[in-house]
Amino acid sequence: MNNFDYLCGMMNIVHISDTHGFHRNVKVPFGDVLIHSGDFTNRGEQYQVEDFIDWLVSQPHRYKIFIAGNHDICFDENHPLNEKKIEKVLMGEHYYPSKPSWLNNLLDNLPDNVFYLENNGCEIEGVTFWGSPVTPWFYGEHWVFNKQRYEIQTTWDLIPDGTDVVITHGPVQYKCDYVAHSQFFAGCSELARKLEFVRPILHLCGHIHGGYGWAYDKNTEFFNGSVLDESYEVKHSPWEIELNKDYREVKVLNK
């Protein structure tokens, strides 16, 4: 894709999520921007984080964006399972919330074309992105970035109006969020209401493996990019999405 295409607001986005250590088993098509919406590890294991970032950096896409998910434990500096917090508590020392030093070193040394988002955003070739790992409470004592539904709105209030692409680990309610085995729509109703005001062109998520799919309303197109099914086997293809910002148009290239 050349500079003229970007001036016309055109961008090819490849979206994946919930690889859980199987990223190297996924056949990823080429595009301008590769986006991973969280859960690239099983439990935030250092070797899986390091391998994932090594793999992501090596991908040929011009830009890469990723967020953490509820399984990526080491990324949540406030969670009781944070390894640095456990170490400090066991030694009787005061814990100041922070990510492990090895992780901070990785994130601080990402190439200029790789973006890690955690309740913040970036702009690429005139297209604005905002990302968050936060999901509604779901076994939050075991997983991370969980917020009770009554307090989660404080996170969604951070999404700037007019953001073009919102990336969250979890889906909005009733859009690619159905958990069949419990007959439950697990998406966030507060996020759904917020996006009605923000009016992003795209919302990209994962988290609910069985919710892999594509939905839309009058303002936004929603994609759940979980490549693993509910049995944690690689079954779903990455989404290939052509975004035309100027006309707020989306074309799905692989369906």
Side-chain angles (χ1 to χ4, degrees):
M1 181 161 289
N2 56 42
N3 290 334
F4 176 79
D5 292 320
Y6 284 115
L7 292 174
C8 291
M10 300 292 292
M11 180 178 284
N12 284 345
I13 294 173
V14 177
H15 174 226
I16 62 175
S17 188
D18 293 79
T19 48
H20 292 283
F22 290 104
H23 42 271
R24 296 187 185 274
N25 293 16
V26 180
K27 186 177 180 180
V28 180
F30 182 71
D32 301 311
V33 184
L34 172 60
I35 298 176
H36 193 299
S37 52
D39 276 5
F40 38 85
T41 71
N42 289 314
R43 296 189 62 83
E45 300 89 337
Q46 180 175 348
Y47 79 92
Q48 285 191 348
V49 174
E50 292 173 340
D51 186 65
F52 168 74
I53 291 180
D54 177 71
W55 171 85
L56 184 67
V57 168
S58 72
Q59 295 306 297
H61 308 73
R62 188 171 180 182
Y63 302 98
K64 300 97 169 180
I65 301 173
F66 70 108
I67 64 172
N70 63 304
H71 280 248
D72 304 318
I73 290 173
C74 58
F75 280 76
D76 188 348
E77 56 200 33
N78 293 302
H79 195 271
L81 295 179
N82 179 287
E83 61 188 67
K84 193 168 186 179
K85 184 172 185 176
I86 292 172
E87 178 185 350
K88 290 289 186 181
V89 170
L90 289 176
M91 295 180 66
E93 300 177 9
H94 185 73
Y95 170 70
Y96 297 95
S98 65
K99 292 177 173 57
S101 56
W102 62 265
L103 179 55
N104 280 326
N105 185 58
L106 280 175
L107 297 179
D108 289 343
N109 289 284
L110 292 173
D112 291 341
N113 67 334
V114 180
F115 302 87
Y116 170 67
L117 301 182
E118 187 176 311
N119 302 322
N120 61 347
C122 65
E123 182 174 330
I124 297 174
E125 306 289 354
V127 177
T128 53
F129 298 82
W130 189 92
S132 174
V134 171
T135 53
W137 189 269
F138 182 75
Y139 294 106
E141 65 275 14
H142 302 292
W143 305 116
V144 295
F145 294 116
N146 276 235
K147 284 194 173 184
Q148 298 289 353
R149 290 178 186 262
Y150 62 78
E151 64 176 350
I152 203 169
Q153 188 62 47
T154 59
T155 298
W156 308 142
D157 285 343
L158 299 173
I159 306 174
D161 292 345
T163 300
D164 297 314
V165 182
V166 173
I167 309 160
T168 61
H169 182 54
V172 303
Q173 192 174 43
Y174 305 131
K175 296 289 192 298
C176 307
D177 69 328
Y178 186 62
V179 183
H181 62 77
S182 57
Q183 299 182 328
F184 174 60
F185 291 95
C188 182
S189 58
E190 290 80 4
L191 179 58
R193 284 193 289 269
K194 178 63 178 180
L195 295 190
E196 288 180 5
F197 290 97
V198 175
R199 299 180 68 245
I201 305 169
L202 286 176
H203 175 250
L204 307 178
C205 72
H207 189 40
I208 307 302
H209 295 195
Y212 172 85
W214 169 31
Y216 60 90
D217 63 17
K218 60 183 178 181
N219 295 317
T220 303
E221 305 225 20
F222 302 83
F223 291 85
N224 181 323
S226 300
V227 296
L228 268 61
D229 63 11
E230 291 177 322
S231 299
Y232 281 66
E233 296 181 358
V234 178
K235 286 292 180 67
H236 304 138
S237 300
W239 288 108
E240 299 177 64
I241 305 162
E242 183 180 86
L243 170 66
N244 186 326
K245 175 181 176 177
D246 294 347
Y247 293 95
R248 293 186 60 88
E249 291 180 348
V250 172
K251 181 186 296 185
V252 182
L253 301 179
N254 60 327
K255 292 294 181 181

